Amino acid sequence: MDQEAIPKPKHEKHNQTQASSNETSLLPGLPNHLSQLCLANINPSILFSVCHSWRRLIYSPSFTPFFSLYALLSPPPDHNPNSPIQFSSLDPISNKWTSLPSPPSDPPLHLLHRHPAFLSRKLPIQTLSVSGCLVLVAATTHKFTPALPRPLVFQPQSKQWSFGPPLPNPRRFCCAGTVEAKVYVASGMGTTYSGDVARSMEEWDMKGKEVSASWVKKAGLKDGRFSREAVEAIGYRGKLWMVNVKGNAIKEGAVYDVEKDTWQDMPQGMLGGWNGPTATSINDDDHHHDHDAMYVVDESKGVLSKYVDENDCWEVVMDSVVLREAEQVCAGRGRVCVVCANGTRIVVVDVVAPLPRIWVVEPPPMLEIVAVHILPRMCRLD
């Protein structure tokens, strides 16, 4: 589809162009603020196809944002491994990839996905979606040191990057997760291994207009077994759920109760079926989290399953050969998005349809997907 903005008149001053834009009538005979109330009930994909003024409206800060797919991108292994990580967003309406603004250059950002000496080994870049923001928590530099002394946050509505508070112990290969606008980092290692760091847990509260200025120390793990590799700490029903080994290997599970600040053992049924990348779909309107859903993709069999609390078991949603070699998954808005086959495709599953539907999204040319997240679309401020 054509996604051009309304052409700006030549030789016009910016304030004149802005005034002309503001006078554009959305619905004849109605003030624009009332027109927006009427148009807000229409699917944005329909508004996009009708006229330029409606198309521009759905990307404006005043219009409730629809959701897009955000991706971290890396060049393939046969390219320069020192090439920087890229950030893009896929607009589901226009079906076009758009690059995010560049992150701050001071200090320089060095996120290594593949080391020149170990091209077959992927180094993790740990990211979270928190309160509608993309948060980078941990990564590795080419010198095998922590790349992020403090979190890096992207806000889609303002299209701005910002830094979080400095981490008491910058780390890599850690457990990272979020529950109710709070970021948690546990275990892992710094430049070298430390038992104290490997057992520690820190919390950063991103709630409200003023984010807290520092990390808060929380109850630590009983040992350092969760520092072997990057771990997804899955926020689900007020707790963080995690395993210390990926895939189908024998693993240990742990559960952190956010409210009680205590650690528990993972239920055996959940642990037994945790055989691939996992994610949760959170219902923001349900404060009791009764309708939250946890999904896992069996990376060897290509089976997508949903956890059933009442029976402590995993229920098969669907299976497909394109889901094999799953590496990372995100969920939300009725979709489960799975990075597969060394980042060469994103498999999207509609899990709310009577019969789950599936389709494949290709990454931008000459790039591989590192991770994906579902977040509000970016505003267009022009």
Side-chain angles (χ1 to χ4, degrees):
M1 295 183 183
D2 179 19
Q3 196 182 358
E4 291 182 345
I6 296 178
K8 295 182 179 179
K10 296 182 179 180
H11 310 299
E12 289 280 322
K13 293 183 179 180
H14 175 75
N15 60 348
Q16 291 175 326
T17 302
Q18 188 64 41
S20 174
S21 172
N22 291 339
E23 292 170 3
T24 301
S25 176
L26 296 172
L27 290 174
L30 276 181
N32 277 356
H33 70 281
L34 294 179
S35 298
Q36 286 196 33
L37 293 176
C38 299
L39 297 174
N41 297 315
I42 301 175
N43 191 308
S45 62
I46 297 175
L47 299 179
F48 180 91
S49 61
V50 174
C51 62
H52 285 297
S53 60
W54 289 9
R55 182 179 301 180
R56 185 167 52 184
L57 171 67
I58 65 174
Y59 294 100
S60 70
S62 62
F63 195 84
T64 302
F66 55 88
F67 283 73
S68 299
L69 194 64
Y70 287 72
L72 277 72
L73 303 163
S74 173
D78 56 349
H79 284 59
N80 182 1
N82 293 318
S83 299
I85 292 293
Q86 300 181 36
F87 304 88
S88 289
S89 172
L90 178 65
D91 186 324
I93 297 178
S94 65
N95 198 33
K96 292 182 179 179
W97 287 99
T98 301
S99 296
L100 273 60
S102 298
S105 57
D106 185 19
L109 188 64
H110 299 295
L111 307 178
L112 191 65
H113 187 48
R114 284 187 175 92
H115 194 278
F118 307 98
L119 289 179
S120 62
R121 171 83 188 271
K122 293 182 180 181
L123 298 173
I125 300 172
Q126 294 179 260
T127 57
L128 302 169
S129 54
V130 187
S131 296
C133 298
L134 174 66
V135 182
L136 280 69
V137 177
T140 302
T141 70
H142 68 285
K143 295 182 178 180
F144 295 104
T145 59
L148 293 164
R150 48 184 176 165
L152 182 59
V153 181
F154 179 72
Q155 222 298 348
Q157 296 300 288
S158 63
K159 299 174 68 174
Q160 303 245 334
W161 292 91
S162 61
F163 288 105
L167 280 153
N169 296 288
R171 53 189 96 191
R172 54 203 179 101
F173 298 103
C174 60
C175 310
T178 177
V179 175
E180 295 187 354
K182 294 180 180 179
V183 177
Y184 293 88
V185 174
S187 195
M189 60 184 294
T191 303
T192 58
Y193 177 83
S194 164
D196 290 340
V197 172
R199 293 186 297 270
S200 67
M201 160 81 91
E202 307 280 350
E203 173 194 272
W204 172 38
D205 190 352
M206 291 181 62
K207 284 181 180 177
K209 295 181 179 179
E210 298 295 331
V211 296
S212 59
S214 63
W215 292 81
V216 177
K217 190 175 183 64
K218 310 301 288 186
L221 293 123
K222 62 182 180 181
D223 54 45
R225 295 183 184 179
F226 283 80
S227 61
R228 296 173 181 173
E229 58 182 309
V231 172
E232 298 163 329
I234 306 301
Y236 177 66
R237 300 196 173 183
K239 298 178 181 180
L240 285 172
W241 310 71
M242 64 196 81
V243 296
N244 66 334
V245 179
K246 294 183 178 181
N248 287 285
I250 297 174
K251 56 182 69 72
E252 178 181 339
V255 182
Y256 175 71
D257 189 312
V258 171
E259 184 176 347
K260 297 178 180 178
D261 190 26
T262 57
W263 290 89
Q264 308 162 6
D265 292 331
M266 181 176 284
Q268 286 302 307
M270 174 182 282
L271 181 61
W274 197 304
N275 43 28
T278 309
T280 49
S281 178
I282 305 298
N283 186 341
D284 296 328
D285 299 325
D286 179 8
H287 299 294
H288 298 288
H289 300 287
D290 292 333
H291 295 91
D292 293 354
M294 181 187 291
Y295 298 93
V296 66
V297 182
D298 188 316
E299 57 193 50
S300 61
K301 298 179 181 178
V303 177
L304 172 66
S305 301
K306 178 181 177 181
Y307 183 66
V308 181
D309 286 75
E310 295 77 11
N311 302 322
D312 185 27
C313 68
W314 295 89
E315 180 182 85
V316 174
V317 176
M318 73 170 302
D319 64 272
S320 172
V321 65
V322 297
L323 287 170
R324 294 177 185 173
E325 300 180 86
E327 298 178 346
Q328 188 257 349
V329 59
C330 69
R333 305 289 160 174
R335 306 287 190 268
V336 175
C337 304
V338 189
V339 179
C340 298
N342 288 316
T344 58
R345 63 173 179 257
I346 305 168
V347 181
V348 183
V349 183
D350 182 347
V351 292
V352 296
L355 291 176
R357 297 187 303 116
I358 188 169
W359 62 94
V360 174
V361 173
E362 302 293 337
M366 306 304 296
L367 291 170
E368 294 179 352
I369 304 291
V370 178
V372 291
H373 294 279
I374 299 171
L375 294 166
R377 59 94 179 102
M378 289 187 288
C379 286
R380 293 182 186 172
L381 302 178
D382 55 339

Coordinates of all heavy atoms in Angstrom, one line a residue, residues 7 13 29 90 101 161 203 206 256 276 302 313 324 344 346:
P7 N 1.9 15.5 1.0 CA 3.0 16.3 0.5 C 2.9 17.7 1.2 O 1.9 18.3 1.2 CB 2.8 16.4 -1.0 CG 2.0 15.2 -1.3 CD 1.1 15.0 -0.1
K13 N 6.7 28.2 5.2 CA 7.3 28.1 6.5 C 6.6 27.0 7.3 O 5.5 26.6 7.0 CB 7.1 29.4 7.2 CG 7.9 30.6 6.6 CD 7.8 31.8 7.4 CE 8.5 33.0 6.8 NZ 8.4 34.2 7.5
G29 N -18.2 18.7 8.7 CA -19.2 19.1 9.6 C -19.0 18.8 11.1 O -19.8 19.3 11.9
L90 N 8.2 -3.4 12.3 CA 7.3 -3.9 11.2 C 5.9 -3.3 11.4 O 5.2 -3.8 12.3 CB 7.3 -5.4 11.0 CG 6.5 -5.9 9.9 CD1 7.0 -5.5 8.6 CD2 6.4 -7.4 10.0
P101 N 15.2 5.2 15.4 CA 16.2 6.2 15.5 C 17.5 5.5 16.2 O 17.4 4.6 16.9 CB 15.6 7.3 16.5 CG 14.2 7.1 16.3 CD 13.9 5.7 16.1
W161 N 15.3 7.5 22.9 CA 16.1 6.6 23.7 C 16.5 7.2 25.0 O 16.7 8.5 25.0 CB 17.4 6.1 23.0 CG 17.2 5.2 21.8 CD1 17.1 5.6 20.5 CD2 17.1 3.8 21.8 NE1 16.9 4.6 19.7 CE2 17.0 3.4 20.4 CE3 17.2 2.8 22.8 CZ2 16.9 2.1 20.0 CZ3 17.1 1.5 22.4 CH2 17.0 1.1 21.0
E203 N 16.2 -5.2 41.4 CA 14.9 -4.7 40.8 C 14.9 -3.3 40.5 O 15.5 -2.5 41.3 CB 13.8 -5.0 41.9 CG 12.4 -4.4 41.5 CD 11.5 -4.4 42.7 OE1 10.8 -5.4 42.9 OE2 11.4 -3.3 43.4
M206 N 9.9 0.8 37.0 CA 9.7 1.8 35.9 C 8.3 2.5 36.0 O 7.9 3.2 35.1 CB 9.9 1.2 34.5 CG 11.3 0.8 34.2 SD 11.5 0.0 32.6 CE 11.0 1.4 31.5
Y256 N 10.2 -16.9 41.3 CA 10.4 -15.8 42.2 C 9.1 -15.1 42.4 O 8.4 -14.7 41.5 CB 11.4 -14.8 41.7 CG 11.6 -13.6 42.6 CD1 12.2 -13.6 43.8 CD2 11.1 -12.4 42.1 CE1 12.3 -12.5 44.6 CE2 11.2 -11.2 42.9 CZ 11.8 -11.3 44.2 OH 11.9 -10.2 44.9
G276 N 11.8 -25.3 25.3 CA 12.1 -24.3 24.2 C 11.8 -22.9 24.7 O 11.5 -22.7 25.9
G302 N 8.7 -28.5 16.9 CA 7.9 -27.4 16.3 C 6.5 -27.4 16.8 O 5.5 -27.2 16.1
C313 N 0.1 -28.7 33.5 CA 0.5 -29.4 32.2 C 0.5 -28.4 31.1 O 0.0 -27.3 31.2 CB -0.5 -30.6 32.0 SG -2.2 -30.1 31.5
R324 N 10.0 -25.3 13.9 CA 11.2 -26.0 14.4 C 12.4 -25.0 14.4 O 12.3 -24.0 13.7 CB 11.5 -27.2 13.5 CG 10.5 -28.3 13.6 CD 10.8 -29.4 12.7 NE 9.8 -30.5 12.7 CZ 9.7 -31.5 11.9 NH1 10.7 -31.7 11.0 NH2 8.7 -32.4 12.0
T344 N 16.2 -16.4 10.4 CA 15.8 -16.2 9.0 C 14.4 -16.0 8.8 O 13.9 -15.6 7.7 CB 16.4 -17.3 8.1 OG1 15.8 -18.5 8.5 CG2 17.9 -17.4 8.1
I346 N 10.3 -15.1 11.0 CA 9.5 -15.0 12.1 C 8.2 -15.6 11.8 O 7.5 -15.3 10.8 CB 9.2 -13.5 12.4 CG1 10.5 -12.7 12.6 CG2 8.4 -13.3 13.7 CD1 10.3 -11.2 12.6

